[in-house]
């Protein structure tokens, strides 16, 4: 294959590159046309010998993880386009990934009402698909966006606005199915007390390589106290419960939250950062969630019900989360991943 020829003008060489990039964007555009696009393509050629203005390009797509583009809705795709123009060939490649939902860039997001009380602080954006109500909280250092009403906000270091469209959230089914497929089941505990869970530690059996542990509660209460968790703890069908006393909880996988709380009623997190307690890498709750006392949490904190944050709690947005979204918090279509465009040069 001829990559550059001294007999060709720089203009032709540059134009060939433009058509190679056009081919990649053409392939990405196909993923926007149907949510079921993964069932319509496979590893290999996506576009073949497309002719545009004297140029011809072909595009191949490959799942870099397992070679199966259609086996899940979350995997990235490597797109490679080869263009030909007047004997000049250019090859351009990019990694493409599902577009993250808007909530991935927020500190907190609620599908139900969001309430902020007392001296609570939000370091980042607030999104709600319902009402946002503030009762004398300290401040929000970001934008506040709601699909319905916004009340009581004066100390906001950003914009305050209402949407005229629904804010998208993942479904309970999508969240739970994702982790059930990857998790290790641990026995029900009325109180998970003084335990260490991680990619190398499981006091109940074999450790999970991604640190994902699933507890089925069958409409019973479960509390968490004095635990160190480096992974993702998934609580399913709890009647209610609390995380209280000293706890240090963070995810092991860069694209997973540290806590998934599936409850029939509300769940409360009552922590004191003075004793070193914290929760990093985000929380998802399928019902109502309370943060109380002096919770120190790195978001996003996402609730499919109401979300109440009060007292001296502080929630901070994770600036890296939009680039590393939770797999089930993405749109079906692809977008180029920043800083992954490159030219493939023939040897």
């Amino acid at each position: 294959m001829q990559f550059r020829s001294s007999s060709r003008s720089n203009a032709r060489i540059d134009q060939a590159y433009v058509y190679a990039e056009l081919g990649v964007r053409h392939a990405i555009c196909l993923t926007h046309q149907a949510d079921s696009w993964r069932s319509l393509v496979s590893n290999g050629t996506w576009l073949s010998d497309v002719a545009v203005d004297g140029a011809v390009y072909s595009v191949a797509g490959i799942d870099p993880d397992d070679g199966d583009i259609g086996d899940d809705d979350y995997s990235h795709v490597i797109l490679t386009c080869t263009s030909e123009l007047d004997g000049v060939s250019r090859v351009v490649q990019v990694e493409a990934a599902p577009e993250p939902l808007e909530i991935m860039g927020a500190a907190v997001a609620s599908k139900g009402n969001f309430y902020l009380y007392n001296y609570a602080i939000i370091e980042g954006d607030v999104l709600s698909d319902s009402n946002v109500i503030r009762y004398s909280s300290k401040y929000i250092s970001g934008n506040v966006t709601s699909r319905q009403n916004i009340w009581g906000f004066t100390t906001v270091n950003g914009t305050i606005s209402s949407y005229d469209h629904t804010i998208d959230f993942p479904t309970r089914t999508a969240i739970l199915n994702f982790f059930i497929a990857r998790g290790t089941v641990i026995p029900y505990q009325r109180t998970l007390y003084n335990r260490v869970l991680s990619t190398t530690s499981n006091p109940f059996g074999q450790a999970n390589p991604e640190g994902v542990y699933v507890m089925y509660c069958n409409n019973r209460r479960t509390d968490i106290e004095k635990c160190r968790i480096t992974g993702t703890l998934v609580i399913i069908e709890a009647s209610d419960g609390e995380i209280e006393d000293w706890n240090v909880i963070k995810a092991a996988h860069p694209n997973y939250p540290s806590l998934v709380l599936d409850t029939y009623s509300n769940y409360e997190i009552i922590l004191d950062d003075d004793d070193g307690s914290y929760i990093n890498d985000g929380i998802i709750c399928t019902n109502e969630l309370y943060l109380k006392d002096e919770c120190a949490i790195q978001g996003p904190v996402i609730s499919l019900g109401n979300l109440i944050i009060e007292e001296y709690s502080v929630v901070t947005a994770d600036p890296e989360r939009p680039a590393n979204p939770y797999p089930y918090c993405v749109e079906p279509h692809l977008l180029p991943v920043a800083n992954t465009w490159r030219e493939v040069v023939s040897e």
Side-chain angles (χ1 to χ4, degrees):
M1 178 184 291
Q2 179 182 358
F3 171 58
R4 287 183 181 270
S5 172
S6 58
S7 65
R8 301 299 175 186
S9 69
N10 288 335
R12 276 288 184 264
I13 294 171
D14 292 341
Q15 287 172 352
Y17 184 93
V18 169
Y19 287 111
E21 184 174 322
L22 175 65
V24 170
R25 296 192 183 278
H26 183 178
I28 289 174
C29 184
L30 295 178
T31 71
H32 287 248
Q33 294 179 2
D35 289 351
S36 60
W37 66 267
R38 288 180 185 269
S39 66
L40 306 176
V41 298
S42 60
N43 254 31
T45 302
W46 285 23
L47 297 166
S48 180
D49 296 331
V50 178
V52 180
D53 299 333
V56 177
Y57 61 74
S58 299
V59 182
I62 297 173
D63 182 332
D65 294 328
D66 59 11
D68 189 347
I69 289 174
D71 65 344
D72 66 58
D73 296 329
Y74 320 115
S75 58
H76 291 205
V77 177
I78 302 297
L79 294 170
T80 305
C81 180
T82 301
S83 73
E84 299 278 350
L85 178 64
D86 292 342
V88 176
S89 178
R90 303 293 292 270
V91 183
V92 171
Q93 190 174 84
V94 72
E95 181 178 354
E99 181 180 9
L101 296 180
E102 186 178 13
I103 59 175
M104 289 289 87
V108 298
S110 66
K111 194 168 180 64
N113 293 330
F114 173 61
Y115 300 90
L116 196 59
Y117 290 92
N118 308 119
Y119 296 95
I121 296 173
I122 308 298
E123 297 279 4
D125 293 345
V126 172
L127 288 173
S128 174
D129 202 42
S130 190
N131 300 297
V132 176
I133 304 163
R134 171 187 175 269
Y135 294 102
S136 68
S137 66
K138 197 167 183 181
Y139 67 83
I140 295 175
S141 65
N143 302 318
V144 178
T145 304
S146 168
R147 195 165 67 92
Q148 296 187 27
N149 300 302
I150 300 174
W151 292 310
F153 282 89
T154 55
T155 52
V156 175
N157 299 330
T159 62
I160 299 176
S161 58
S162 296
Y163 271 7
D164 58 0
H165 64 271
T166 299
I167 298 172
D168 291 329
F169 285 78
T171 65
R172 172 183 179 269
T173 299
I175 297 166
L176 297 185
N177 284 351
F178 180 86
F179 286 109
I180 289 170
R182 293 160 174 80
T184 296
V185 176
I186 61 175
Y188 167 75
Q189 306 288 300
R190 171 58 181 79
T191 300
L192 188 65
Y193 181 80
N194 198 27
R195 299 291 191 177
V196 175
L197 290 170
S198 72
T199 58
T200 58
S201 175
N202 175 12
F204 307 103
Q206 186 173 356
N208 182 280
E210 293 185 322
V212 179
Y213 296 97
V214 178
M215 181 193 298
Y216 290 92
C217 300
N218 298 318
N219 201 19
R220 293 171 289 183
R221 179 185 177 93
T222 187
D223 296 336
I224 302 170
E225 298 181 24
K226 298 186 184 303
C227 289
R228 181 180 293 275
I229 299 170
T230 303
T232 300
L233 178 61
V234 184
I235 304 294
I236 297 180
E237 294 183 347
S239 60
D240 58 349
E242 290 181 351
I243 298 174
E244 58 181 346
D245 211 331
W246 179 89
N247 290 275
V248 170
I249 304 173
K250 58 184 179 180
H253 192 288
N255 294 89
Y256 295 176
S258 56
L259 286 171
V260 177
L261 304 172
D262 175 52
T263 67
Y264 287 107
S265 183
N266 62 68
Y267 207 94
E268 297 185 355
I269 300 178
I270 307 169
L271 299 179
D272 185 349
D273 63 355
D274 288 339
D275 66 9
S277 293
Y278 64 83
I279 299 174
N280 282 357
D281 304 310
I283 302 169
I284 289 189
C285 183
T286 63
N287 209 316
E288 191 166 83
L289 178 63
Y290 282 79
L291 307 184
K292 296 182 176 182
D293 203 358
E294 297 181 10
C295 289
I297 298 177
Q298 179 195 58
V301 175
I302 298 170
S303 175
L304 302 189
N306 295 330
L307 176 58
I308 301 95
I309 302 178
E310 58 183 48
E311 297 177 0
Y312 292 88
S313 296
V314 178
V315 179
T316 305
D318 179 357
E320 301 300 320
R321 185 54 57 198
N324 297 285
Y326 304 148
Y328 41 82
C329 287
V330 294
E331 302 282 3
H333 58 260
L334 299 177
L335 288 179
V337 175
N339 302 316
T340 65
W341 288 94
R342 71 186 190 95
E343 184 169 11
V344 180
V345 181
S346 297
E347 298 295 336

